[in-house]
Amino acid sequence: MTRIALRGGRVWTGAGTEVADIVVADGSVVAVGPAAAAGSGTDDLDASGCLVLPGFVDLHVHLRVPGGEDAEDVWTGSAAAAAGGFCDIVAIGNTQPPYDTASVVRTVRAEAEAAGLVRVHPAGCVTRGRNGKDLAELHELHRAGCRVFTDDGTPVADAAIMRRALEYVKGFDGVVADHCEERSLTDGAQMHEGRVSGRLGLQGWPAAAEEIIVARDIVLAEHTGSRVHLQHLSTAGSVEMVRQAKARGVRVTAEVTPHHLTLTDDLVEGFDPVFKVNPPIRGEEHVLAVRTGLADGTIDAVATDHAPHTAEVKEEWTDAACGMLGLETAASLVWNLVADGTITLDRMVHAMCTNPARIASLPVRDAITPGVTADLCVFDPEATWEVDAVGLRSKATNSPYAGMTLTGRVRHTLLDGRPTLRDGEIAAPVPPVGGSRAW
Amino acid sequence: MSDRSLLSIDDLDVAGIREIVELSDAFEEVLRRPIPKVPALRGRTVANVFFEDSTRTRLSFEIAAKRLSADTVNFTASGSSLSKGESLFDTIRTLHAMGVDAFVVRHRAPGAARRVDGWVDTPVINAGDGAHEHPTQALLDLVTVHRRRGDVEGLRCVMVGDIEHSRVARSTIGAFTMMGMHVSVAAPATLLPTGIDDWPVDVVEDLDTALEKADVVYMLRMQKERIARDPVLPSLREYVARYGLTAERARRLPPEVVLMHPGPMNRGVEIAPEATEHPGAAIEEQVRNGVTVRMAVLYLALGGMP
Amino acid sequence: MAEQFAPKAEVLDADEIRRATTRIAHEVLERNKGADGLVLVGIHTRGVPLARRIATSIRDVEGIEPPVGSVDIAFYRDDIGTKPRAPTGPTEIPVGIDGATVVVVDDVLYTGRSVRAAMDAICDFGRPTAIQLAVLVDRGHRELPIRADYVGKNLPTARDEVVKVRVLEVDGADGVDIGTRPHAPGSAPDREAATP
């Protein structure tokens, strides 16, 4: 039996880190401690200088499967997740066909299991065909494994549908995750509404369009007593409303993307569609507000909203599709917030591991102690790397960080005790010749 | 990318604008010759790539190129290029491969010309990119004021109408203020861009007060279709009453005022038919100056040895 | 582009220039049997004042001053270097030139390319009966089959030498200097009428 020893890392203890070796066997951590005490392995992985953290959980990944395989497929998306230190990803169902029936959900899960690089949890659609009108068979989807329900890509625009969805999933502790956008205010919108949009002549996407739905969803969650999860919060007003709602006990959780934590709307000035995303990257005051929200716990989770797109739909700003890659750069970007003192390491672990697991009703992994499942991310906080969009594992290249030098990089990822990323290389069988969907 | 591209009025400084104004004067003399054509760009090919209908602008560039002895080719496709399965990138690279020396690009999307500039090493001239910029319009506007009034510094311009959706406003305000003119904008708040406070302009509510002190009155086109899509105005009638250059308002303007419009005019909306008869009306001069300005821009982009 | 110029010797002084332009005026009248139908066209920059002087001399002799025009050849050049060149002065042809005899006036005749360009420009204004060429200095080294009808001074030069004409109206004094250009590697080939 393979025993893997992770040597010399700073291991997350649930409250901080301490230098220790870890021995993993049979999918679990079997020993944590000084080298001698931990014992030996048949396979050593160097973790010196690295943080050893619970494997990351991403609540928001557009895997593009089925129907969007020109931009991403199960294998490339899973590889990107493994390279980013993720062990679990929630896949969003704005696919073709969408995740509105159990059979689609089971197929996606099965394909992901065959790839074997990350556990993929399809999020069920709230409405059939994401039509915004008719509830999907939510319990059937729940039986197929869905715990999160969302029409993301689009909001649940109709308040009555949102109310019924919240009520209906309450019985099996599902959560409705909403893409907050009042579309009557965003028809034709191209970028964040502000002085930059005014100067560039691009139609603005007001913060109010998000905040109106954030307010509505909070009110409905309060009214129904159900859990609501607000996706990719991007405005100061949204953060403040969530803060107040939590203070009065509303069952609301929220996520923020790495790009809304790091990018501002002046980047649009070059008209490179790689920066086009929904919700849009916003002004500095909003970036500071979501950072504060993440730091004080108002925002529970960092979720990537990983959205691969082919170059053909990213040619020119106005026609371009919204979305950017996120899986492989997320850990570095969030680590930089730790390094500059914006958030603590504790917040990082909670935002990237425990909170998203809790929101998605997945097993929560916190302290790395003997007996826990060996889902581990070994992160080198000193490594610097230049983001090469073509070199990323994603099939698409639409990373807004292309050409930038980032600090901190995932060195190894272990999934159920098995390396999926080893010294920065994907540690899994390459899919058979003939295409990555041929297994 | 080419350092000879003209994508935004901000690509030019005061000296650069002066150079174009002076060259434009020299080309005005050329246009008065019995043979109004010079061999300056003989052997060069200019591609007019128009993804949005604009016959006037295309013809103006085409005539300008021909007066310089350049060859021209035209590519015209309206609507969304993607929806028609036409890739902007492929179109540009294809023309580039055929040996085009400069691209004149018109597109309904802001930033399209800048994207094109990133894909080729030949000069790219922005002939209007959505509501973003239209730098040659700004230059022809400046030349028009200059030819009417001499030194433009200190002149007061009132620009009236849909600033928010106007590429003309964004470029012309830039050119006018760079050359020392004062610009006021008069429009309902629904037609002012976000962040107008940061622009080098005064915002005025009352058109009649603003007109009293104006040396230049610039009426922008009011797109009737816009109101149907977005309730920016209760009615055209109310707009005309508040912001139209009615016959009555035109009568109060002194003869030395310079009255401008980028065309095509909605007569009876932003400008009354009678107002176009005002001695200050320079609308046709703008069109003529468009040719000489575009000659100047093309000459600077393509002149000299290849 | 400021060309560096190190004068070596003055080859014509103010008086000699005056005598040369006066003589050219006489030769023009003699050749054309009077001033009827003559139009003088100077090439910018220094050809223009020289044309005016010749016209004045003609008036002094003949009592009729022929019309004087100017031509700028920026848009006609074939030797313009990599950057487009702005005109140095207005092109003004004051009268119709159909059937006229146009005398093109320039300061220095060198490769002949400026004169070729000027003739192209003039022909865009009409169809003269004849075009003749008057230059203050002919320094040789022609690259086109062009010769001057009237020459102030023939001046044998080497290619790396520079001939620089100064005129009162432009430079504040009259004179013609010959000199050398400090070697500038990779510089454009010499043009006629080196203008600083």
Side-chain angles (χ1 to χ4, degrees):
Chain A
M1 187 186 66
T2 309
R3 289 168 63 89
I4 295 172
L6 287 168
R7 298 291 185 196
R10 285 159 49 206
V11 178
W12 179 250
T13 62
T17 59
E18 60 184 45
V19 175
D21 285 8
I22 297 176
V23 176
V24 169
D26 222 7
S28 297
V29 172
V30 295
V32 180
S40 61
T42 57
D43 186 8
D44 274 16
L45 289 178
D46 179 22
S48 55
C50 293
L51 292 163
V52 183
L53 306 174
F56 300 145
V57 179
D58 192 343
L59 285 171
H60 200 144
V61 174
H62 293 275
L63 200 56
R64 300 286 185 234
V65 177
E69 288 86 353
D70 51 346
E72 193 83 285
D73 61 38
V74 166
W75 201 86
T76 57
S78 298
F86 291 92
C87 290
D88 294 272
I89 61 175
V90 174
I92 305 295
N94 62 337
T95 49
Q96 196 52 251
Y99 302 169
D100 63 351
T101 57
S103 64
V104 175
V105 167
R106 290 199 182 96
T107 305
V108 171
R109 192 190 299 280
E111 291 195 3
E113 275 168 19
L117 291 170
V118 67
R119 288 182 292 263
V120 173
H121 310 279
C125 296
V126 176
T127 60
R128 275 182 221 171
R130 299 170 59 247
N131 70 3
K133 296 192 187 96
D134 312 300
L135 285 184
E137 293 177 337
L138 301 175
H139 188 257
E140 178 79 2
L141 290 167
H142 179 260
R143 277 161 48 91
C146 297
R147 296 293 178 269
V148 178
F149 299 90
T150 181
D151 276 354
D152 176 64
T154 48
V156 178
D158 187 312
I161 296 287
M162 187 65 178
R163 174 211 175 145
R164 294 306 183 205
L166 285 167
E167 287 171 341
Y168 195 81
V169 302
K170 192 178 170 189
F172 43 86
D173 197 32
V175 60
V176 178
D178 202 15
H179 165 118
C180 299
E181 178 184 350
E182 170 51 52
R183 300 185 96 189
S184 66
L185 287 174
T186 60
D187 182 30
Q190 293 289 339
M191 70 171 292
H192 173 58
E193 181 176 305
R195 71 193 160 71
V196 181
S197 70
R199 208 165 59 234
L200 299 184
L202 286 167
Q203 192 182 320
W205 199 313
E210 174 173 311
E211 292 159 4
I212 284 169
I213 300 299
V214 166
R216 183 202 72 174
D217 286 352
I218 288 170
V219 169
L220 286 174
E222 199 164 14
H223 178 70
T224 58
S226 300
R227 284 204 292 145
V228 70
H229 177 69
L230 305 177
Q231 295 173 311
H232 42 51
L233 282 202
S234 68
T235 81
S238 298
V239 174
E240 186 50 37
M241 281 188 281
V242 171
R243 187 176 285 126
Q244 290 172 12
K246 285 189 164 183
R248 62 177 192 272
V250 182
R251 298 175 77 200
V252 56
T253 55
E255 69 187 33
V256 62
T257 68
H259 47 273
H260 289 113
L261 287 165
T262 52
L263 305 178
T264 49
D265 59 346
D266 51 335
L267 290 164
V268 180
E269 280 170 6
F271 293 101
D272 186 339
V274 79
F275 295 111
K276 187 174 178 183
V277 65
N278 177 359
I281 51 175
R282 300 201 184 263
E284 196 183 2
E285 70 276 22
H286 297 292
V287 173
L288 294 175
V290 293
R291 287 181 176 196
T292 304
L294 182 63
D296 69 15
T298 301
I299 295 173
D300 303 86
V302 171
T304 63
D305 195 5
H306 179 83
H309 284 294
T310 61
E312 286 70 32
V313 297
K314 282 286 193 183
E315 272 191 354
E316 170 281 307
W317 190 277
T318 301
D319 280 341
C322 290
M324 36 181 72
L325 298 183
L327 282 168
E328 293 171 75
T329 47
S332 305
L333 296 163
V334 176
W335 168 251
N336 282 341
L337 296 178
V338 176
D340 71 15
T342 304
I343 62 171
T344 60
L345 178 61
D346 182 71
R347 287 296 312 148
M348 177 174 172
V349 172
H350 286 110
M352 297 201 58
C353 310
T354 57
N355 289 343
R358 210 167 272 128
I359 291 165
S361 304
L362 301 171
V364 176
R365 284 179 251 295
D366 189 0
I368 298 166
T369 53
V372 302
T373 303
D375 290 340
L376 300 171
C377 168
V378 180
F379 181 79
D380 179 354
E382 305 292 331
T384 60
W385 58 296
E386 189 184 319
V387 181
D388 165 21
V390 177
L392 294 174
R393 269 71 170 198
S394 268
K395 193 180 280 184
T397 58
N398 55 309
S399 171
Y401 303 99
M404 283 177 51
T405 299
L406 300 180
T407 303
R409 193 170 199 183
V410 178
R411 186 185 289 178
H412 317 294
T413 306
L414 270 68
L415 177 71
D416 276 327
R418 184 170 50 81
T420 52
L421 184 82
R422 188 183 179 119
D423 289 316
E425 299 295 330
I426 295 297
V430 174
V433 177
S436 49
R437 282 172 58 75
W439 58 76
Chain B
M1 257 183 273
S2 165
D3 59 4
R4 292 213 201 173
S5 293
L6 178 62
L7 306 173
S8 158
I9 197 68
D10 290 335
D11 292 350
L12 298 168
D13 56 12
V14 171
I17 288 180
R18 288 225 169 91
E19 183 179 28
I20 289 171
V21 171
E22 281 163 20
L23 265 173
S24 178
D25 284 343
F27 287 122
E28 171 60 31
E29 182 274 312
V30 168
L31 291 194
R32 290 194 302 265
R33 295 180 187 179
I35 298 175
K37 180 169 181 160
V38 292
L41 299 185
R42 208 155 47 97
R44 307 298 165 80
T45 301
V46 176
N48 293 311
V49 186
F50 277 56
F51 283 91
E52 179 184 63
D53 289 332
S54 177
T55 311
R56 292 159 177 246
T57 305
R58 185 176 57 73
L59 287 177
S60 182
F61 269 105
E62 198 168 347
I63 288 173
K66 291 190 151 115
R67 296 286 186 239
L68 293 167
S69 302
D71 296 315
T72 58
V73 293
N74 295 312
F75 176 91
T76 308
S78 58
S80 161
S81 52
L82 267 186
S83 68
K84 293 186 162 188
E86 281 162 4
S87 153
L88 178 62
F89 177 81
D90 287 346
T91 302
I92 295 297
R93 294 297 304 178
T94 300
L95 285 164
H96 190 251
M98 289 177 186
V100 161
D101 298 299
F103 290 91
V104 175
V105 177
R106 170 76 154 229
H107 201 288
R108 82 204 136 68
R114 189 169 295 282
R115 285 300 278 172
V116 171
D117 189 53
W119 297 331
V120 294
D121 53 5
T122 48
V124 175
I125 313 295
N126 183 0
D129 59 335
H132 181 222
E133 286 234 33
H134 195 358
T136 58
Q137 175 76 40
L139 292 164
L140 74 88
D141 289 337
L142 190 69
V143 164
T144 302
V145 177
H146 172 71
R147 285 190 185 150
R148 279 270 180 132
R149 298 291 295 258
D151 189 5
V152 303
E153 192 169 342
L155 293 181
R156 295 177 165 278
C157 172
V158 178
M159 187 174 274
V160 188
D162 186 357
I163 308 290
E164 159 81 340
H165 302 97
S166 175
R167 52 176 159 248
V168 176
R170 284 179 181 79
S171 287
T172 297
I173 288 171
F176 280 7
T177 54
M178 212 188 304
M179 302 313 281
M181 290 173 64
H182 300 288
V183 180
S184 305
V185 297
T190 48
L191 296 176
L192 290 173
T194 311
I196 186 84
D197 302 350
D198 292 347
W199 292 29
V201 298
D202 298 320
V203 178
V204 292
E205 176 71 17
D206 181 54
L207 178 61
D208 292 299
T209 316
L211 288 180
E212 280 169 22
K213 287 173 282 184
D215 300 299
V216 176
V217 175
Y218 202 118
M219 305 304 298
L220 293 172
R221 181 175 162 77
M222 183 64 228
Q223 289 187 18
K224 296 178 196 169
E225 319 84 82
R226 189 167 299 290
I227 305 172
R229 271 184 285 134
D230 185 3
V232 287
L233 295 173
S235 71
L236 276 181
R237 184 171 165 274
E238 180 159 309
Y239 177 76
V240 171
R242 283 183 84 190
Y243 294 105
L245 188 63
T246 57
E248 204 279 321
R249 284 193 175 108
R251 266 195 295 280
R252 293 204 302 266
L253 294 174
E256 69 274 14
V257 82
V258 187
L259 174 54
M260 303 169 78
H261 189 289
M265 287 182 282
N266 291 309
R267 285 193 175 78
V269 183
E270 68 268 7
I271 190 162
E274 298 87 339
T276 64
E277 307 293 321
H278 189 278
I283 298 159
E284 284 188 20
E285 284 160 56
Q286 286 175 277
V287 175
R288 179 175 175 91
N289 295 339
V291 175
T292 60
V293 156
R294 287 169 181 131
M295 288 173 80
V297 166
L298 288 172
Y299 181 65
L300 289 173
L302 282 174
M305 306 240 232
Chain C
M1 177 174 55
E3 278 180 82
Q4 291 184 301
F5 175 67
K8 217 164 50 183
E10 189 176 67
V11 292
L12 288 177
D13 64 17
D15 282 339
E16 288 167 317
I17 289 176
R18 181 175 49 75
R19 287 184 206 109
T21 52
T22 306
R23 175 168 55 74
I24 288 171
H26 281 281
E27 288 175 9
V28 168
L29 285 172
E30 191 176 355
R31 161 91 75 101
N32 295 294
K33 300 183 169 45
D36 276 353
L38 278 184
V39 179
L40 305 191
V41 176
I43 300 178
H44 280 294
T45 306
R46 291 172 184 74
V48 179
L50 291 172
R52 291 211 184 90
R53 292 184 197 183
I54 294 168
T56 305
S57 295
I58 288 174
R59 185 198 61 202
D60 292 346
V61 177
E62 200 72 6
I64 304 169
E65 181 165 336
V68 177
S70 60
V71 64
D72 185 276
I73 56 170
F75 302 143
Y76 291 82
R77 305 193 72 113
D78 64 353
D79 59 346
I80 47 180
T82 52
K83 283 280 174 194
R85 185 173 282 267
T88 51
T91 295
E92 287 166 334
I93 309 293
V95 293
I97 55 169
D98 284 345
T101 296
V102 173
V103 181
V104 175
V105 182
D106 203 0
D107 54 354
V108 178
L109 176 59
Y110 181 26
T111 61
R113 291 180 188 276
S114 291
V115 175
R116 195 279 306 159
M119 287 194 290
D120 285 351
I122 287 164
C123 289
D124 284 348
F125 286 84
R127 187 182 181 283
T129 300
I131 297 178
Q132 299 169 358
L133 174 62
V135 297
L136 185 60
V137 174
D138 180 349
R139 60 165 294 191
H141 304 290
R142 214 76 74 242
E143 293 170 1
L144 295 173
I146 281 169
R147 63 166 179 78
D149 300 277
Y150 315 103
V151 179
K153 182 178 179 62
N154 281 299
L155 183 68
T157 59
R159 269 202 177 269
D160 60 358
E161 286 176 316
V162 176
V163 176
K164 193 169 167 298
V165 172
R166 287 173 284 124
V167 294
L168 188 65
E169 297 88 332
V170 179
D171 308 289
D174 282 349
V176 178
D177 300 315
I178 188 165
T180 52
R181 186 187 330 222
H183 184 64
S187 63
D190 295 357
R191 293 187 302 100
E192 48 199 299
T195 38

